Amino acid sequence: MATASACLLYLPTHAEENEPSLEGRPLSAWAKDLLAEKGDWKPIAQNIGKMGKEIIPKLTEMAQENVYEPPDRRFRLTSAIAAIGEDAIPCLVDRLRKTNQKRRGNNEAWIYKEALGKMGEIALEATRELCKGENDDRFAAVDILDVMGPRVPGTLQVLVVLLSDPKEMVGARAAKLLGQYGKDAIAPLVEEAKKARYNRSAALESLACIAQTFPMPPEILEVLKKALGEGDSAA
């Protein structure tokens, strides 16, 4: 009964009558608080996410209406969408792709890449699908995997696939990120270091980074020495 009484304290205006609400307050009021919060805004975003997938169109509209807000404030609205969970992933991927198609889209694309990356394992399958897309999709996938990091199971395997990407910069970035994965990344990086490709220098850099923490078997050290020697002579 106490909860019902508390809900009656907030009387929505006519314009808000059909809005989804939580704890007696409509979505627009929560969104206003989210953008205005000077401290930790994440609990507000999490509460908004509890309203479910029905709010995705309205939140997306709000994010677009606030396009002139600083990017970190727009990220709050995107985080609220992400807080909905798995149902929000198609929307975030769609917004990422549309943003990438715009001129100067990279200034906004990070908002969606960061949000997807912070969703962790539930966004991994969508990230794998991006790896099969156009150049922009694959570049975005590497950035999302960077946010996810080794803490998310399955990211190492996706990065290993990206080592062979036809766009050399994608493969090089994947090689560099694999340096965070320790001994599990040694075998694929050694294979990449053996190839005379643009990615090789990034693979060697990652192996050198891993070697600072994990002892390298003699045969791998031999590959490293040979590759570095070839690099010196080529220079």
Side-chain angles (χ1 to χ4, degrees):
M1 287 296 293
T3 305
S5 301
C7 289
L8 291 173
L9 293 175
Y10 184 87
L11 299 175
T13 64
H14 177 72
E16 296 166 342
E17 279 177 359
N18 297 320
E19 276 192 75
S21 62
L22 180 72
E23 297 175 3
R25 303 182 70 223
L27 173 60
S28 56
W30 282 99
K32 187 176 178 181
D33 288 352
L34 179 64
L35 290 173
E37 178 58 50
K38 288 183 169 46
D40 185 7
W41 50 267
K42 293 180 184 67
I44 302 174
Q46 289 296 321
N47 274 334
I48 291 173
K50 291 175 186 175
M51 296 188 207
K53 63 183 180 181
E54 292 76 14
I55 68 171
I56 291 175
K58 185 64 179 172
L59 268 182
T60 304
E61 183 185 326
M62 287 178 183
Q64 290 173 286
E65 286 172 356
N66 285 274
V67 71
Y68 295 110
E69 288 277 1
D72 61 317
R73 286 163 68 83
R74 280 183 281 131
F75 177 63
R76 297 181 182 192
L77 290 168
T78 307
S79 294
I81 297 173
I84 293 164
E86 201 166 350
D87 288 327
I89 292 173
C91 166
L92 293 173
V93 171
D94 180 63
R95 291 305 310 158
L96 170 62
R97 283 178 162 151
K98 285 178 178 172
T99 303
N100 271 335
Q101 289 167 4
K102 295 179 186 175
R103 183 181 296 179
R104 298 193 307 173
N106 283 338
N107 292 338
E108 295 182 40
W110 74 267
I111 294 173
Y112 303 104
K113 290 185 279 193
E114 187 81 7
L116 285 162
K118 287 183 181 300
M119 292 179 83
E121 195 170 359
I122 64 169
L124 189 59
E125 187 54 44
T127 308
R128 284 197 191 97
E129 289 303 310
L130 284 170
C131 293
K132 301 172 187 174
E134 300 297 326
N135 289 344
D136 282 346
D137 283 355
R138 301 197 311 281
F139 275 115
V142 178
D143 288 337
I144 292 167
L145 291 164
D146 187 10
V147 177
M148 288 182 178
R151 67 186 175 84
V152 177
T155 51
L156 183 144
Q157 289 78 6
V158 182
L159 285 168
V160 168
V161 171
L162 287 172
L163 280 174
S164 305
D165 193 272
K167 199 76 175 173
E168 289 181 330
M169 287 184 68
V170 172
R173 183 87 196 286
K176 192 164 185 178
L177 291 179
L178 281 166
Q180 305 170 27
Y181 287 75
K183 61 183 179 180
D184 292 335
I186 292 173
L189 284 169
V190 166
E191 286 306 306
E192 198 61 26
K194 291 177 182 177
K195 300 170 186 173
R197 298 204 308 197
Y198 180 82
N199 305 349
R200 187 174 74 164
S201 61
L204 289 168
E205 185 183 329
S206 286
L207 284 167
C209 178
I210 294 170
Q212 293 175 21
T213 311
F214 298 96
M216 293 282 183
E219 62 272 19
I220 293 177
L221 286 173
E222 199 57 41
V223 170
L224 275 169
K225 286 176 185 174
K226 183 180 176 187
L228 289 169
E230 288 172 0
D232 290 342
S233 60

